[in-house]
Amino acid sequence: MSYTSQPYVKIREKLLAGELSVSAIVVSHLDQIHAHNKALNAFLEVYEEEAMTHAVHVDAKIKAGTAGKLAGLVIGIKDILCYKGHHSYAGSKILDSFKSTFSATAVQRLLDEDAIIIGRQNCDEFGMGSTNENSAYGPVLNFANPAYVAGGSSGGSAVAVQAGMCQISLGTDTGGSIRMPAAFCGVVGLKPTYGLVSRWGLIAYASSFDTIGPISNYVSDARLVLDIMKGDDGQDSTLSSTIPAVQKDKKRIAYIKEVVEHPSLQPEIKVAFEAQVDKLRALGYSVEGVEFPYIDQLLPTYYVLTTAESSSNLARFDGVKFGHRTADPVDLMQLYKRTRQEGFGEEVQRRIMLGTFVLSADYYDAYYTKAQKVRRLIQDKTLAILAEYDFIISPTTSSTAYRLGEKTLDPIQMYVGDLFTVQANVTGIPGLSIPMGKDSSGLPMGFQLMTNPFQEDKMLNVGELLSDDLE
Ligand code: GLN
């Protein structure tokens, strides 16, 4: 039996009643991993023995009445989050053999509540990608149909939940990397407000965009995990120390006309989206189209700023401090150059070069400064919409999953896939992707809700109502 066919609250009831053991749950997920991981490539490493030992310990705590809030919740973590004493490669050869000396706050807080970490999940190198084909450890395949990609960059995390290999995954979302694979795999993905969950222990891609969030089968599970992870830890200066109260429901929802009428939108996704709009209307919301004049600026702004930040963040991987070091360099310059050439994949090198270019003295104002100004315009306009409406809704992606290799030759084609998700990251607001059925070829589609900063609870409430409808 798969324990992912029920939300954690139900599992917990059985655990506390002695009808189920944590060990049995771990075994069931390990069975799924053994059956499918070789083909799907979702986990890069499975902590089999460790998870079993931990399960026995948590079972004893349940018996003693001292179990934490997540006792028996089996979690996989994206290979970009640090976990003390364990490898974290960020999907890159440059961190080959690197072991973390501390745990990310998000990971530690789950452990402190007796969650079990079952393994480390494949991802695009440093989170750069939309299909999980940029991992140095091979692509992740979609469990709905292995000829298709999982989506990226948290592809391993989404497929692991999709295939019942774990109950919850922790992913990261810089431009859509939680929501996009969640949509491609038919699971739930939550990108929290920037500043809600500490980035301590997250290997940085673009620091002013990066967020950590859950991927799950149930909205209630995502909420549970977010509640445990969130809040100040004194390690991330961008974290908000006060969290505003839940806002009153205005019963008004907006969709951006330019998104819903976008020429790239797959017709079946549009039909499914319209069905969601009808459901929301039946729930008493008015749903209206609004104008958003910056659709064409979203991706350029995102890619100028994230490549700039990544070129700076990735400067630390130089062969001196951690990870890969080239053999027998003649001098320090050669050590740096060869290490980085050998260690970084093609997409990461492209982004470092782009980022270095937009930050260079001659082009800084033309690209970096300008993109910062446009970011502000996008933020102001988005927040102005959200001052009048509870949510901005859209399909999560304009199409269902791509065939493997379909987008890899043209990086621009790949970037275009992020169009609907980057707005939340450019603005810092939260976003939730929930399943929206399947298209005629059996591939999952996703529905996205975005809302005001720190209004996750409100967003999750509606997400739950809509998902109940879908079940
Ligand atoms: N696909 C986007 C990128 O490559 C988003 C990645 C992410 O959210 N980590 O930058």
Side-chain angles (χ1 to χ4, degrees):
M1 168 186 182
S2 165
Y3 295 101
T4 49
S5 56
Q6 43 195 328
Y8 176 71
V9 276
K10 293 260 166 66
I11 295 176
R12 186 174 177 88
E13 275 172 21
K14 291 184 188 146
L15 283 170
L16 296 186
E19 292 161 21
L20 182 63
S21 73
V22 179
S23 306
I25 297 176
V26 170
V27 167
S28 94
H29 290 302
L30 287 172
D31 285 348
Q32 287 300 102
I33 292 176
H34 294 147
H36 301 295
N37 195 48
K38 217 169 173 181
L40 301 175
N41 201 21
F43 278 93
L44 294 176
E45 203 178 337
V46 180
Y47 310 136
E48 186 157 345
E49 265 179 44
E50 205 180 289
M52 284 307 297
T53 312
H54 195 178
V56 172
H57 177 67
V58 178
D59 273 329
K61 281 181 90 171
I62 292 176
K63 279 217 176 79
T66 56
K69 290 187 190 125
L70 303 181
L73 187 70
V74 178
I75 297 188
I77 56 174
K78 184 176 181 179
D79 187 31
I80 207 159
L81 294 164
C82 291
Y83 179 20
K84 189 174 177 176
H86 296 74
H87 292 300
S88 304
Y89 295 173
S92 181
K93 286 265 178 266
I94 208 152
L95 277 171
D96 199 350
S97 74
F98 171 73
K99 261 191 187 168
S100 306
T101 53
F102 67 98
S103 292
T105 299
V107 171
Q108 190 57 50
R109 288 191 174 167
L110 302 186
L111 284 170
D112 290 345
E113 291 296 343
D114 293 330
I116 307 244
I117 297 185
I118 198 161
R120 171 167 72 91
Q121 296 163 329
N122 203 350
C123 61
D124 281 306
E125 190 174 357
F126 290 99
M128 297 177 189
S130 310
T131 59
N132 215 130
E133 291 168 290
N134 292 341
S135 166
Y137 303 94
V140 178
L141 310 185
N142 197 310
F143 190 50
N145 183 338
Y148 290 82
V149 299
S153 65
S154 314
S157 307
V159 169
V161 170
Q162 182 192 23
M165 298 175 180
C166 57
Q167 182 89 2
I168 296 261
S169 296
L170 280 197
T172 63
D173 193 311
T174 305
S177 278
I178 286 177
R179 291 160 288 155
M180 185 189 207
F184 279 7
C185 296
V187 294
V188 173
L190 170 62
K191 173 232 175 276
T193 307
Y194 182 84
L196 183 62
V197 177
S198 170
R199 288 176 294 109
W200 175 250
L202 158 61
I203 299 173
Y205 159 14
S207 308
S208 76
F209 294 77
D210 293 341
T211 53
I212 302 174
I215 295 179
S216 58
N217 274 305
Y218 300 94
V219 175
S220 60
D221 285 356
R223 188 200 299 269
L224 181 73
V225 166
L226 178 69
D227 281 344
I228 305 278
M229 292 194 300
K230 72 184 184 191
D232 203 359
D233 63 348
Q235 301 284 7
D236 176 351
S237 62
T238 62
L239 224 66
S240 181
S241 49
T242 51
I243 297 176
V246 180
Q247 285 170 4
K248 225 175 113 250
D249 220 332
K250 304 180 198 69
K251 289 285 172 194
R252 293 186 75 197
I253 294 179
Y255 63 84
I256 293 172
K257 287 185 199 155
E258 292 85 347
V259 165
V260 172
E261 281 149 26
H262 202 268
S264 68
L265 192 64
Q266 196 175 307
E268 281 179 275
I269 294 191
K270 190 161 184 192
V271 172
F273 176 75
E274 279 160 4
Q276 295 291 91
V277 168
D278 289 344
K279 277 189 214 161
L280 288 165
R281 290 199 171 121
L283 288 169
Y285 286 94
S286 78
V287 184
E288 294 159 37
V290 296
E291 320 252 311
F292 186 77
Y294 304 115
I295 286 295
D296 292 340
Q297 282 71 42
L298 278 173
L299 286 170
T301 304
Y302 171 79
Y303 276 99
V304 167
L305 294 176
T306 54
T307 53
E309 293 185 22
S310 70
S311 74
S312 162
N313 274 327
L314 271 54
R316 75 191 68 173
F317 303 107
D318 54 9
V320 177
K321 296 187 261 323
F322 19 56
H324 173 70
R325 177 179 299 170
T326 194
D328 307 320
V330 293
D331 57 21
L332 186 63
M333 204 40 91
Q334 197 184 62
L335 169 95
Y336 290 153
K337 282 189 180 166
R338 283 216 318 239
T339 298
R340 289 167 68 82
Q341 261 165 21
E342 291 161 6
F344 289 133
E346 196 177 301
E347 182 61 25
V348 173
Q349 294 196 24
R350 179 175 11 255
R351 302 222 186 170
I352 292 173
M353 286 192 286
L354 267 169
T356 308
F357 176 76
V358 301
L359 290 174
S360 62
D362 283 350
Y363 293 98
Y364 191 94
D365 281 343
Y367 291 100
Y368 184 72
T369 309
K370 194 183 243 175
Q372 291 286 28
K373 290 181 183 166
V374 181
R375 184 178 199 183
R376 173 52 67 89
L377 292 174
I378 293 171
Q379 281 169 338
D380 287 351
K381 180 65 194 170
T382 306
L383 293 176
I385 296 173
L386 286 169
E388 288 180 42
Y389 295 89
D390 298 301
F391 307 104
I392 299 174
I393 55 168
S394 71
T396 310
T397 52
S398 60
S399 77
T400 47
Y402 323 129
R403 277 191 175 275
L404 272 154
E406 189 182 326
K407 305 269 178 185
T408 42
L409 289 180
D410 181 356
I412 301 289
Q413 275 303 309
M414 188 73 92
Y415 301 166
V416 168
D418 302 333
L419 184 60
F420 298 172
T421 50
V422 293
Q423 187 179 1
N425 306 79
V426 170
T427 313
I429 58 174
L432 174 71
S433 179
I434 56 170
M436 187 171 72
K438 290 183 176 168
D439 74 358
S440 48
S441 48
L443 293 170
M445 304 182 280
F447 176 77
Q448 177 176 243
L449 288 148
M450 295 184 286
T451 192
N452 276 299
F454 304 107
Q455 295 302 312
E456 277 80 357
D457 269 327
K458 196 170 142 179
M459 181 171 72
L460 292 163
N461 290 345
V462 174
E464 260 180 78
L465 286 175
L466 291 175
S467 330
D468 283 350
D469 266 21
L470 275 174
E471 275 160 24

